Amino acid sequence: NEVCLNGEWMKPEEAQISVFDRGFMLGDALYEVIPFYDGKVFALEEHLDRLKYSLSQIRFDFEVKKLVPFILQAVERSSYAEEDAAVYLQLSRGTAPRTHFFPQSSEPNFLVYSFPVKLKDFEQRSWRLLLAEDIRWHRCDIKTTSYLANTMLNDESHRLGLDETLLFRDGKITEGSHSTAFFVKDNVIYTHPEGPEILSGITRKIVIDLCRELSLDIREESYRLEDFENLDEVFLTGTTTQVMMITDIFFEGSKIFSRPEAGPVTQKLQKAFKEKTRNCQA
Ligand code: PMP
């Protein structure tokens, strides 16, 4: 499949940008991953709003509406147009001589492409997690491509044969290296409040709304490490992760959480999430 670089479709090997692109040199770039269920885009407005927020935070002027036709074309033009897919969108401040301050003028570079992704049957999958200290910067609310810390942390779990790394800072869980974390204890659901410590996940918002619709007790409060005893359920959310049940959590060589089957709250939310994303089709 072709990729779209600055509005032009071409073979990936033909897509070229300058070595002075600020995304390449400094990580001065933003990204989004937008899901397509059965070929139909889901939560596009929410993803564009988050991109607008990230743009405003890094003082980057760009009209996000300009990207919409390319986002839609990315799946329409693909060989899996009727299936589940996702669009990767990256936007860098562009090419300019390397400076630590933002250049007065630079032509942004944007890249859009789609990839097939198995969104179906997510409720039949499960993940095992490593718990590790959150070493990221203090603006995790900006969806930047500067994900070196996230990839270092995620790689730690992969080297142990686990699926994702759950992060804590000052004794409180923040989120996963590429996902949002939810905890269930005594029928109360906890997730970290929005702010610079976490990315405002689109799936997080959808799941919080579903909790309210289902009259579940959802609290946007961080979960503390000392409350891991008698923890009932853990699940992670994300655009491609959806609502993933967690069976095991490891910390410093021991297992600190184990639950082989999805708990009742996780199951309820998985079902509601599936209905929402599939427009109530079974
Ligand atoms: N937190 C981080 C650090 C992430 O990278 C992601 C995935 N992009 C998420 C949370 C989940 O966000 P979303 O539901 O918007 O995919």
Side-chain angles (χ1 to χ4, degrees):
N1 283 300
E2 290 189 329
V3 302
C4 176
L5 180 62
N6 298 329
E8 264 184 69
W9 290 96
M10 58 190 84
K11 293 199 180 86
E13 58 273 24
E14 284 165 3
Q16 292 186 352
I17 57 168
S18 166
V19 292
F20 288 101
D21 174 75
R22 288 183 61 90
F24 177 66
M25 281 205 149
L26 299 155
D28 187 357
L30 302 171
Y31 84 104
E32 282 292 331
V33 177
I34 304 161
F36 282 68
Y37 286 89
D38 298 321
K40 290 191 284 291
V41 69
F42 181 74
L44 177 60
E45 281 307 312
E46 288 85 345
H47 283 274
L48 294 177
D49 284 348
R50 182 170 62 186
L51 183 58
K52 274 187 219 160
Y53 171 78
S54 293
L55 282 161
S56 72
Q57 294 305 297
I58 67 166
R59 299 193 287 283
F60 181 172
D61 241 348
F62 187 87
E63 192 61 63
V64 300
K65 264 193 261 144
K66 202 171 124 179
L67 300 168
V68 173
F70 306 115
I71 294 168
L72 300 175
Q73 284 165 25
V75 171
E76 279 162 18
R77 295 170 60 106
S78 74
S79 54
Y80 37 80
E82 319 269 284
E83 293 164 39
D84 291 346
V87 166
Y88 178 83
L89 165 74
Q90 176 172 324
L91 176 60
S92 91
R93 200 181 302 267
T95 305
R98 185 180 182 279
T99 57
H100 288 80
F101 54 85
F102 297 146
Q104 282 215 313
S105 72
S106 58
E107 199 51 47
N109 283 315
F110 67 89
L111 170 70
V112 183
Y113 68 84
S114 68
F115 56 97
V117 57
K118 193 176 184 292
L119 296 173
K120 282 199 178 67
D121 303 327
F122 65 90
E123 73 282 9
Q124 288 163 31
R125 297 191 282 275
S126 62
W127 278 1
R128 301 191 307 150
L129 309 180
L130 176 71
L131 180 63
E133 182 155 7
D134 195 343
I135 57 162
R136 300 174 304 162
W137 69 332
H138 293 269
R139 289 306 307 273
C140 299
D141 53 324
I142 300 172
K143 199 157 171 61
T144 167
T145 58
S146 303
Y147 257 22
L148 185 56
N150 301 60
T151 53
M152 284 167 68
L153 288 162
N154 186 264
D155 186 66
E156 281 185 43
S157 55
H158 276 255
R159 286 186 336 176
L160 296 169
L162 307 173
D163 303 288
E164 165 68 314
T165 308
L166 184 63
L167 309 174
F168 68 87
R169 183 174 274 170
D170 301 328
K172 295 174 201 153
I173 301 292
T174 49
E175 59 180 338
S177 80
H178 64 100
S179 54
T180 306
F182 288 79
F183 299 85
V184 187
K185 186 172 174 157
D186 299 331
N187 282 315
V188 181
I189 310 168
Y190 300 87
T191 194
H192 197 288
E194 286 185 297
E197 303 86 2
I198 64 157
L199 181 75
S200 286
I202 305 300
T203 323
R204 174 188 180 279
K205 278 201 193 72
I206 292 165
V207 167
I208 289 174
D209 288 347
L210 289 174
C211 288
R212 299 205 169 115
E213 278 170 36
L214 294 167
S215 305
L216 299 171
D217 190 350
I218 171 82
R219 300 190 192 164
E220 293 181 62
E221 292 168 20
S222 51
Y223 202 78
R224 305 190 66 87
L225 287 188
E226 66 234 37
D227 294 329
F228 261 65
E229 248 177 81
N230 306 320
L231 173 58
D232 296 319
E233 299 176 43
V234 183
F235 58 90
L236 297 186
T237 68
T239 294
T240 56
T241 306
Q242 302 177 92
V243 182
M244 185 59 69
M245 73 163 287
I246 302 309
T247 56
D248 305 274
I249 304 177
F250 296 89
F251 183 49
E252 292 175 343
S254 23
K255 199 185 269 197
I256 59 162
F257 172 79
S258 170
R259 170 150 202 156
E261 307 282 338
V265 173
T266 307
Q267 280 186 35
K268 245 185 234 171
L269 287 167
Q270 286 181 326
K271 185 165 172 277
F273 185 82
K274 203 166 181 172
E275 279 165 10
K276 175 129 195 140
T277 51
R278 302 282 174 189
N279 291 326
C280 303
Q281 295 159 9

